[in-house]
Amino acid sequence: MSHGTLRTLAVNFALMSLFAIGGGNSAVPEMQRLVVEVHHWMTDRQFTDLFALAQVTPGPNMIIVTLIGYQVAGVLGALVSTAAMCGPTCVLAFCIGGVWDRFKEAPWRIAVQAGLLPISIGLIGASGFVIAMGAASNIAFGVLVLAAAFLSYVTRLNPAWMFGAAALIGLTGLL
Amino acid sequence: MTQVALPPSRLALFATFAQIAMFGFGGVLVWSRRMLVEERKWLTPAEFNEAYALCQFLPGPNVINLSVVFGRRIAGVPGSLVALAGLLVPPLIMVSIMALLYARFGEAAPMQHMLRAAAAAGLVLGTCAKMARPLVKDRLRVAPVLALATFVLIAILRWPLYLALGLLVPLSVLIAWLRR
């Protein structure tokens, strides 16, 4: 893989990580736009597959960037992407962690946090939508997406059960 | 009053965050709280809430921020690195295996992939709906409108993230400032 591709991965994930407000999943629509629509590194289906793989892997969901990096540029791509997604935010967390006490009660801090909240919820909704569009290729899958959404909204069921049920549906050949 | 234990060793720090990563399936927040507050007693509930508020404030994955912030408090730069490594190394090993399997057999079981993706999409949407519930209480309806505007710009109109956030974040923060 060319250095150009690695540089593109590094620069984009590093930048994206600083805009991922409200958690790792907030940047998923931007990742999809970058790898599927702008660079055509993979199809929408492949991106959706990788997202789902990252979700069933224990640990932080941002691990999707490791999978994207690997798919695009092999082991080096995986390492570069992971480091780029973690590096800037970790440095920021380290620095702000040291001065947090000084401004945690500041009015501007409270306004910034209150202002970011609705935006981050909109971003997470957009992530769900982008993935749902990749997954719901027909009505049956659409119903499945809605059923999983409904279940996770009304219950506190461990997501493992839902992935288990999805696998079972596949094994029994119901769909 | 909860008894708070002595500062943990670096090995304990690594092992604890590795455990959070491996068992924190589908809700790393719940597991980090259980480990740091209830089992290890390294943080009181109030300290945990405060650390978590900071990590939500910061961009990027919340639990990764938590490992850096907590590790720093225990042992400075080495502490942060050790906690972060604990959180990342086991999942990275697992996901590498998955990436290899996907690269080799990815097209072999398309039905399973699609079903898993459908479940994953539903989970994200359901969680989002849960998070959005408090927004509806906003009497002026500003917060739901801002959330919806973000959704439309990103998901429907497919604006680049930076453009959408560059427009909406200053607006939203300004409104929050004026409404203090």
Side-chain angles (χ1 to χ4, degrees):
Chain A
M1 238 339 134
S2 70
H3 285 297
T5 307
L6 287 178
R7 198 178 315 122
T8 308
L9 285 171
V11 170
N12 279 288
F13 283 133
L15 206 63
M16 215 182 285
S17 73
L18 294 172
F19 283 82
I21 55 174
N25 270 349
S26 304
V28 164
E30 181 66 17
M31 290 177 198
Q32 195 260 10
R33 213 181 63 81
L34 179 79
V35 303
V36 179
E37 288 172 23
V38 178
H39 291 285
H40 305 288
W41 282 325
M42 60 185 78
T43 64
D44 197 24
R45 265 294 314 284
Q46 285 173 309
F47 181 84
T48 307
D49 285 354
L50 295 185
F51 177 82
L53 278 181
Q55 294 283 313
V56 298
T57 307
N61 293 335
M62 57 114 292
I63 212 109
I64 186 182
V65 301
T66 314
L67 289 170
I68 292 173
Y70 183 81
Q71 192 78 2
V72 172
V75 175
L76 212 54
L79 290 174
V80 165
S81 303
T82 312
M85 193 70 188
C86 294
T89 57
C90 285
V91 170
L92 196 66
F94 189 86
C95 297
I96 294 190
V99 294
W100 179 244
D101 285 341
R102 245 177 278 162
F103 65 79
K104 71 180 176 202
E105 307 289 351
W108 69 264
R109 202 280 299 169
I110 294 161
V112 168
Q113 192 154 10
L116 290 180
L117 182 71
I119 311 284
S120 69
I121 290 172
L123 285 179
I124 294 168
S127 300
F129 181 82
V130 165
I131 298 304
M133 287 297 108
S137 48
N138 61 39
I139 297 199
F141 282 99
V143 169
L144 225 96
V145 171
L146 290 178
F150 179 75
L151 269 178
S152 66
Y153 181 70
V154 297
T155 68
R156 299 188 57 187
L157 209 63
N158 190 314
W161 291 105
M162 262 175 260
F163 288 118
L168 212 64
I169 293 174
L171 286 178
T172 52
L174 281 176
L175 271 178
Chain B
M1 174 84 200
T2 331
Q3 184 72 43
V4 178
L6 286 171
S9 70
R10 285 173 198 179
L11 183 65
L13 203 56
F14 180 89
T16 300
F17 275 94
Q19 236 170 306
I20 290 172
M22 294 315 283
F23 294 107
F25 184 87
V28 193
L29 165 66
V30 182
W31 265 89
S32 52
R33 192 180 187 286
R34 183 181 294 183
M35 294 299 291
L36 298 177
V37 178
E38 287 161 26
E39 289 191 19
R40 301 282 187 271
K41 295 191 178 24
W42 288 343
L43 289 173
T44 64
E47 283 173 330
F48 180 84
N49 287 349
E50 204 162 275
Y52 198 72
L54 162 61
C55 297
Q56 279 187 307
F57 174 76
L58 293 164
N62 295 337
V63 67
I64 290 187
N65 291 332
L66 184 67
S67 71
V68 172
V69 168
F70 182 74
R72 174 194 176 126
R73 193 185 296 185
I74 301 302
V77 173
S80 287
L81 290 176
V82 164
L84 181 67
L87 194 64
L88 284 183
V89 169
L92 281 178
I93 292 171
M94 287 202 56
V95 92
S96 308
I97 297 167
M98 292 224 179
L100 282 174
L101 290 176
Y102 182 79
R104 189 155 300 172
F105 306 111
E107 301 305 312
M111 182 59 81
Q112 288 292 357
H113 285 302
M114 283 166 72
L115 286 164
R116 192 159 47 208
L123 265 170
V124 176
L125 289 173
T127 309
C128 175
K130 250 185 210 174
M131 291 171 70
R133 229 166 358 191
L135 290 192
V136 185
K137 290 192 194 119
D138 184 353
R139 278 175 292 108
L140 299 179
R141 299 276 177 269
V142 176
V145 168
L146 283 165
L148 200 68
T150 312
F151 177 84
V152 171
L153 286 187
I154 297 284
I156 313 286
L157 303 178
R158 301 313 312 265
W159 278 31
L161 184 65
Y162 318 108
L163 216 56
L165 292 192
L167 180 74
L168 288 170
V169 169
L171 182 69
S172 184
V173 170
L174 181 70
I175 291 172
W177 176 260
L178 294 174
R179 292 179 73 191
R180 267 174 311 144

